[in-house]
Amino acid sequence: MADIEEARKQFDRIDANGDGFITAAEFKSALAQQGDWNVTEAVAESIIKQRDLNGDKVLSFDEFWAYLNK
């Protein structure tokens, strides 16, 4: 099981605009900042889609947390 406080810090780091949701563009940017320049927008969208429980094409913290605890 993941540490919720560490997960919140990671989520907030990825959520660049601070709106409480991670978009595919924010996810792609966060991966690029970590050195993974090979992730395209389409790949980021696919990853978000796999973890997006309500189909709104963005990740809330609850969806992010649920994925970490699978």
Side-chain angles (χ1 to χ4, degrees), residues 22-57:
I22 296 174
T23 64
E26 287 172 329
F27 190 71
K28 178 182 180 261
S29 176
L31 290 174
Q33 289 172 10
Q34 293 177 354
D36 191 347
W37 299 97
N38 298 321
V39 176
T40 64
E41 189 86 19
V43 169
E45 287 173 4
S46 176
I47 293 168
I48 294 286
K49 185 177 181 179
Q50 291 170 10
R51 300 170 184 179
D52 178 18
L53 301 176
N54 65 359
D56 61 0
K57 298 184 180 174

Side-chain angles (χ1 to χ4, degrees), residues 1-11 61 64-65 68-69:
M1 181 162 177
D3 174 14
I4 195 165
E5 290 156 7
E6 190 58 39
R8 175 55 78 178
K9 287 178 192 172
Q10 187 177 4
F11 181 89
F61 179 74
F64 185 76
W65 179 244
L68 291 177
N69 283 291

Side-chain angles (χ1 to χ4, degrees), residues 8-23 25-27 58-61:
R8 175 55 78 178
K9 287 178 192 172
Q10 187 177 4
F11 181 89
D12 290 344
R13 184 181 51 76
I14 299 169
D15 178 20
N17 66 3
D19 68 354
F21 298 97
I22 296 174
T23 64
E26 287 172 329
F27 190 71
V58 293
L59 286 185
S60 66
F61 179 74

